[in-house]
Amino acid sequence: MNNEIKTLTISNYNKFQCIADKCKYTCCDGWDIGIDNDTYDKWKGDKAYDILENIKITECGNKKSFCVKKETKERCPFLDIKGLCDIVKSYGEEYLSSTCRIFPRIENDFFDRKELTLSCACPMVVDIIGDNDSEVNITSEVSSDLIELKIRDTIVSIIKEEGFLLEDKLIICYEMLLNEYEDIYDEFLKKYKNIQYINERIKDYSEINLNIYDGLEEINNLFLDVVENYRGVSILKTLLEDISIFAENANIEVLANQWDKFKKIFDNKAGKLLKSCILSKIYSSCVCEDIEEMIQAYEMIIIEYLLVRYAVFLRYSSNRNNDIVIQDVKDYIVAFSRIIGNNTEAMIEFFEDGFEDSILELGYLYFIALF
Ligand code: SF4
């Protein structure tokens, strides 16, 4: 029996290079930075007091967790005024915690393979994805018997399908995940690999009468709720604050008049980039054995897409020239990857508080996605 573990990488994985102090969205600012137990023990054993004095310990029962001592909104205390890391300068890159050493690389281990992908929370990754003309793939795709990878492959094949709107494909995949929640099996997945079936389902959705005013109002409220704790964060302020004020004072009727024209321009200019980033996220995060976790991971990808699109719409509507700048799209992809994708636990809590369930109803998603 061949027990060799294959290492598979996402397209252009090796092109990533951190630009450190030249990065305008440094990963050392604007979110919590966790420290793994092994790294903490190593620092403690080495009596690295200059590091330890900046580490916060949280105790929950017998379990201790560690993170960098700072408010979520603040810069990492190890970041110097030039944007370089004091730990790297004093001890070398190997001394970093695994989060800091690995980001934005993501490693998923399966019994027969290791998959290496990249996070869109890093602007360099989004640039690499945006510069790449070919479709995002995991290199030398090897079929697997694992149900989670079969489900992921079915989602990927639907998203890659040409001739449908991205939002329609996103909703169809969500429907697939919800439908046979308890019992996803090969025959069921085959149904969703049939283009004719996808076509019929999308046609069914298009016949549902959705109210554009209600849909816009709901996504406007969702946007404001999700960004509430982030719009003042220094690194995200220029991206979020002015459009949040615009959203607070939004005239839904005026916005509704601009929506269809915006969607066409958005699909033309940013559709390919968004599709590639979504594929990248699906490869990285739709890999859970537990179907409930798989649904949650996929749901985050849909919400990220909808809020990136809505943030760009707010910028488009608040600018007099009514145009879309691709750099804005990239910046919002980075921002919402951090606010939602890298913050899944907080988002799950947010949905449980607001919707009484971490898994959103299909009807709610098409209400805010397909108007
Ligand atoms: S966000 Fe990316 S490019 Fe910027 S500092 Fe972090 S790893 Fe480097």
Side-chain angles (χ1 to χ4, degrees):
M1 201 166 93
N2 184 1
N3 288 326
E4 191 196 340
I5 305 279
K6 298 178 187 74
T7 298
L8 309 180
T9 54
I10 197 148
S11 316
N12 295 305
Y13 179 83
N14 291 325
K15 279 194 182 162
F16 168 72
Q17 255 193 324
C18 173
I19 52 170
D21 52 326
K22 293 180 194 63
C23 181
K24 67 175 174 170
Y25 296 117
T26 171
C27 44
C28 310
D29 195 344
W31 53 6
D32 297 322
I33 303 168
I35 307 294
D36 56 289
N37 291 14
D38 290 348
T39 302
Y40 182 82
D41 291 343
K42 182 172 68 182
W43 291 344
K44 206 171 159 199
D46 292 349
K47 300 189 170 55
Y49 296 122
D50 54 332
I51 300 178
L52 293 171
E53 68 185 3
N54 281 307
I55 303 303
K56 185 167 80 185
I57 304 173
T58 313
E59 292 194 37
C60 179
N62 290 334
K63 211 175 153 219
K64 283 186 184 171
S65 56
F66 312 97
C67 66
V68 175
K69 202 187 278 176
K70 73 183 199 65
E71 293 301 319
T72 305
K73 296 174 184 176
E74 291 174 354
R75 277 164 71 89
C76 177
F78 298 115
L79 200 62
D80 74 9
I81 46 166
K82 290 185 187 152
L84 297 171
C85 174
D86 284 336
I87 299 179
V88 176
K89 284 191 301 179
S90 304
Y91 299 91
E93 198 160 343
E94 285 311 302
Y95 213 62
L96 289 169
S97 68
S98 73
T99 307
C100 299
R101 199 171 54 242
I102 290 171
F103 183 85
R105 300 170 193 88
I106 299 168
E107 182 178 316
N108 287 315
D109 292 307
F110 305 94
F111 79 95
D112 63 342
R113 65 175 70 193
K114 179 203 291 273
E115 290 186 352
L116 304 175
T117 54
L118 294 166
S119 164
C120 291
C122 165
M124 290 309 292
V125 172
V126 177
D127 276 347
I128 291 168
I129 291 174
D131 292 346
N132 181 22
D133 278 338
S134 50
E135 204 150 57
V136 174
N137 262 320
I138 291 265
T139 51
S140 64
E141 293 192 51
V142 181
S143 60
S144 171
D145 285 337
L146 294 177
I147 188 66
E148 60 269 32
L149 293 186
K150 286 183 178 178
I151 295 171
R152 185 188 68 178
D153 287 351
T154 309
I155 297 174
V156 164
S157 76
I158 293 172
I159 300 295
K160 284 184 176 177
E161 205 59 72
E162 298 293 340
F164 301 109
L165 290 174
L166 189 49
E167 57 265 33
D168 285 336
K169 293 186 282 188
L170 285 167
I171 295 297
I172 289 293
C173 296
Y174 193 67
E175 173 199 280
M176 176 188 83
L177 287 171
L178 288 186
N179 259 351
E180 294 292 322
Y181 195 144
E182 302 287 323
D183 189 18
I184 288 202
Y185 51 92
D186 287 356
E187 284 308 309
F188 175 76
L189 291 175
K190 257 188 220 157
K191 196 166 72 170
Y192 281 88
K193 284 196 167 171
N194 178 334
I195 183 101
Q196 188 58 33
Y197 183 74
I198 301 292
N199 216 348
E200 282 164 18
R201 294 301 299 124
I202 289 179
K203 197 160 159 282
D204 289 346
Y205 282 125
S206 69
E207 282 164 8
I208 300 170
N209 208 358
L210 292 169
N211 185 313
I212 184 169
Y213 301 108
D214 293 345
L216 268 175
E217 187 141 32
E218 183 59 31
I219 193 88
N220 195 64
N221 291 337
L222 183 66
F223 168 82
L224 285 170
D225 286 344
V226 170
V227 302
E228 192 183 345
N229 292 329
Y230 295 90
R231 55 192 273 191
V233 172
S234 58
I235 206 166
L236 300 175
K237 203 169 178 172
T238 49
L239 282 179
L240 298 177
E241 184 60 11
D242 58 344
I243 60 167
S244 298
I245 294 168
F246 185 77
E248 281 165 345
N249 299 299
N251 179 327
I252 295 297
E253 278 184 34
V254 173
L255 291 185
N257 287 335
Q258 302 181 11
W259 181 247
D260 284 342
K261 186 175 169 206
F262 163 79
K263 273 209 303 182
K264 282 197 186 95
I265 302 175
F266 184 78
D267 287 341
N268 275 339
K269 280 197 157 184
K272 185 174 168 298
L273 171 67
L274 261 305
K275 180 180 163 190
S276 298
C277 288
I278 285 169
L279 284 169
S280 176
K281 288 165 186 285
I282 291 167
Y283 279 123
S284 302
S285 59
C286 293
V287 289
C288 321
E289 202 179 339
D290 180 317
I291 185 72
E292 189 171 336
E293 282 178 32
M294 173 79 103
I295 295 172
Q296 286 165 342
Y298 182 72
E299 173 181 83
M300 297 303 154
I301 294 172
I302 300 184
I303 297 293
E304 272 179 63
Y305 167 75
L306 295 178
L307 291 187
V308 167
R309 185 178 69 167
Y310 192 66
V312 177
F313 174 59
L314 290 171
R315 173 103 26 247
Y316 164 94
S317 301
S318 58
N319 283 347
R320 291 217 175 88
N321 61 0
N322 274 182
D323 198 10
I324 293 175
V325 178
I326 205 71
Q327 189 56 50
D328 286 343
V329 181
K330 289 182 174 181
D331 290 348
Y332 286 117
I333 290 171
V334 171
F336 284 103
S337 295
R338 292 181 182 193
I339 296 170
I340 298 173
N342 283 61
N343 209 8
T344 307
E345 277 179 30
M347 285 304 296
I348 286 175
E349 218 171 284
F350 170 78
F351 289 141
E352 280 170 350
D353 288 348
F355 300 88
E356 292 173 2
D357 195 343
S358 64
I359 295 183
L360 297 171
E361 285 180 13
L362 179 64
Y364 178 74
L365 277 186
Y366 68 65
F367 167 60
I368 58 170
L370 304 184
F371 59 84

